[in-house]
């Protein structure tokens, strides 16, 4: 047992050679080059509406920060383990709009790790493969987006409203239904081409008792 403890203490106390100035500059330059691939992929993997410049800047910053931290702590195993334990308690509560954004975050961290440890081929090959995969998952700009349909009125056959919405929309889900003695409010999450929404709205207004129809585009989460 004492021998095991001595071995662990020796490993934790081991200090590896500190990276030279040239090695640090090379790692940062390599991280920037790989970040260019990351940024181009993120830009073209999103439409003009879904592209977030601030998130793209955050991805580049994260890669550089990871590179700097690894350059600082890789010379000391004990310091590396302590830093890893400190980072494990960090919690991010930002809502993710696109599940692919998680992949971009881990890709950014992988760039920092590969650049700081000198595994440039792994970083480049992995970046190219990830780029192809994420570009292949790009959303079509003509794809339908979910919108909110709000219908207000009084003394109307609600089943007739349901029939019109279900018939005209590619997808419809009732999100809220507020029924009062003299009025009502129905909220749907619908998927319908904008050019076809006018005919649906006109059909709803043909029903007696429909006072207002609002079709709202989904808002980006900040």
């Amino acid at each position: 047992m004492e021998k095991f403890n001595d071995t662990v203490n020796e490993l934790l106390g081991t200090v590896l050679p500190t990276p030279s100035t040239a090695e640090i500059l090379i790692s940062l330059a390599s991280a920037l080059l790989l970040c260019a691939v990351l940024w181009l992929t993120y830009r073209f993997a999103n439409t003009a509406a879904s592209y977030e410049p601030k998130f793209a800047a955050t991805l580049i910053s994260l890669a550089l920060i990871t590179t700097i931290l690894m350059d600082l702590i890789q010379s000391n195993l004990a310091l590396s383990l302590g830093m890893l334990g400190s980072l494990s308690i960090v919690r991010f509560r930002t809502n993710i709009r696109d599940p692919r954004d998680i992949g971009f975050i881990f890709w950014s961290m992988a760039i920092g790790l590969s650049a700081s440890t000198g595994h440039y081929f792994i970083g480049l090959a992995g970046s190219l493969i990830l780029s192809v995969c994420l570009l292949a998952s790009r959303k079509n700009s003509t794809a339908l987006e979910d919108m909110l349909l709000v219908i207000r009125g009084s003394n109307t056959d609600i089943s007739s409203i349901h029939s019109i919405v279900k018939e005209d929309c590619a997808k419809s889900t009732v999100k809220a239904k507020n029924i009062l003695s003299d009025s009502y409010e129905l909220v749907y999450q619908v998927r319908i081409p904008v050019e076809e929404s006018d005919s649906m709205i006109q059909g709803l207004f043909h029903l007696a008792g429909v006072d207002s129809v609002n079709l709202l585009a989904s808002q980006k989460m900040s």
Side-chain angles (χ1 to χ4, degrees):
M1 191 64 175
E2 293 181 358
K3 184 177 181 180
F4 174 77
N5 291 334
D6 293 338
T7 303
V8 172
N9 291 331
E10 182 179 354
L11 288 174
L12 293 178
T14 301
V15 178
L16 301 176
T18 302
S20 64
T21 303
E23 291 174 337
I24 293 175
L25 293 177
I26 291 174
S27 66
L28 291 174
S30 302
L32 283 174
L33 291 176
L34 294 176
C35 281
V37 178
L38 170 64
W39 180 84
L40 288 173
T41 303
Y42 178 73
R43 176 63 186 87
F44 291 105
N46 290 275
T47 62
S50 62
Y51 173 69
E52 292 285 355
K54 291 183 179 179
F55 183 72
T58 301
L59 291 175
I60 297 174
S61 300
L62 180 60
L64 294 177
I65 290 172
T66 304
T67 304
I68 294 172
L69 286 176
M70 287 300 299
D71 284 338
L72 288 172
I73 67 177
Q74 66 177 318
S75 61
N76 190 298
L77 181 58
L79 184 59
S80 302
L81 294 175
M83 181 64 70
L84 182 62
S86 300
L87 293 177
S88 67
I89 66 175
V90 177
R91 296 291 183 270
F92 298 96
R93 300 187 181 276
T94 303
N95 292 321
I96 300 296
R97 290 186 65 250
D98 189 341
R100 297 179 305 167
D101 290 349
I102 300 177
F104 281 107
I105 292 174
F106 279 99
W107 181 4
S108 178
M109 296 174 63
I111 286 176
L113 291 173
S114 61
S116 60
T117 55
H119 293 85
Y120 307 120
F121 176 76
I122 296 177
L124 179 59
S127 295
L128 293 177
I129 294 174
L130 287 170
S131 178
V132 172
C133 293
L134 291 170
L135 286 174
S137 66
R138 183 181 188 273
K139 292 182 179 179
N140 193 334
S141 59
T142 60
L144 300 181
E145 298 288 343
D146 288 342
M147 295 186 287
L148 290 180
L149 174 65
V150 183
I151 305 172
R152 298 184 180 91
S154 59
N155 301 323
T156 303
D157 184 7
I158 295 179
S159 61
S160 299
I161 296 178
H162 290 333
S163 298
I164 293 177
V165 173
K166 184 177 181 180
E167 180 180 354
D168 292 347
C169 297
K171 173 186 175 183
S172 63
T173 305
V174 178
K175 304 298 290 184
K177 182 189 294 186
N178 301 319
I179 308 296
L180 303 178
S181 59
D182 58 347
S183 64
Y184 66 87
E185 180 184 69
L186 302 175
V187 180
Y188 296 87
Q189 183 175 348
V190 299
R191 189 172 294 172
I192 183 174
V194 177
E195 59 273 10
E196 297 180 10
S197 62
D198 292 340
S199 61
M200 180 190 67
I201 293 174
Q202 291 176 3
L204 291 171
F205 274 120
H206 285 160
L207 298 176
V210 175
D211 297 332
S212 67
V213 178
N214 297 321
L215 189 61
L216 309 174
S218 60
Q219 298 294 321
K220 291 184 178 182
M221 299 179 68
S222 57

